Amino acid sequence: MRYDPIIKKIESKLESSIHFSDYDFGGRDGQKCPRPDKTEWLTEQFITLMNKLKDFLKNDPDQNLLNEFLLSEIKNIDSSVFLKEEFELLIWKYMEIPFFLLGNRTVYDYFEKNKSLLKYYD
């Protein structure tokens, strides 16, 4: 199956210690996580997205089906429950696999086109 190496990469990523911390939010420059109590929840959101992508890739989809899946996934995320920084971090981390390993810009293009239209938690 053509997606086996990517599925293995996702599994490896999921088996590692995934977490969101001050560092992810720019902590190396002194910034702090905006809602430290939500980092576990944010991690769960990421893991769910990665597992769905992994399971989808097991069906060996063609490029069109992959595009539809990725677009559907990103549209189904309710940005209003995230602070802007949280949502952007989640999208950028999720986008790593499609963008860099699959050469797929669907998530990136959708986010760039719609980021000013998204509603965030106040």
Side-chain angles (χ1 to χ4, degrees):
M1 188 163 37
R2 66 180 151 171
Y3 294 115
D4 279 348
I6 294 154
I7 291 168
K8 286 182 172 124
K9 181 70 173 174
I10 293 170
E11 288 172 343
S12 172
K13 192 174 202 71
L14 291 171
E15 290 170 3
S16 66
S17 178
I18 298 172
H19 64 281
F20 290 82
S21 66
D22 290 341
Y23 183 81
D24 296 306
F25 288 95
R28 61 193 166 280
D29 297 324
Q31 295 175 345
K32 298 287 184 187
C33 178
R35 295 192 297 179
D37 57 315
K38 294 290 186 183
T39 56
E40 220 172 281
W41 169 77
L42 194 57
T43 301
E44 290 170 13
Q45 301 303 308
F46 176 74
I47 290 170
T48 299
L49 287 168
M50 286 285 103
N51 276 318
K52 287 179 172 181
L53 178 58
K54 178 183 77 168
D55 291 342
F56 183 76
L57 291 174
K58 288 179 180 178
N59 296 320
D60 204 25
D62 66 20
Q63 193 63 38
N64 288 332
L65 286 175
L66 179 60
N67 291 345
E68 289 174 19
F69 173 80
L70 292 170
L71 190 57
S72 172
E73 287 296 294
I74 189 113
K75 284 182 173 181
N76 284 332
I77 301 172
D78 181 3
S79 64
S80 69
V81 297
F82 295 88
L83 293 175
K84 182 178 188 239
E85 302 94 319
E86 294 168 339
F87 186 77
E88 288 180 353
L89 181 59
L90 177 67
I91 296 305
W92 283 103
K93 279 201 176 262
Y94 175 66
M95 188 179 1
E96 288 175 0
I97 299 291
F99 192 85
F100 294 111
L101 297 182
L102 295 168
N104 188 301
R105 297 177 53 97
T106 301
V107 175
Y108 175 82
D109 291 343
Y110 177 82
F111 180 67
E112 287 300 313
K113 182 179 178 185
N114 294 288
K115 66 181 171 184
S116 64
L117 304 173
L118 297 168
K119 305 292 182 216
Y120 299 107
Y121 181 79
D122 291 330

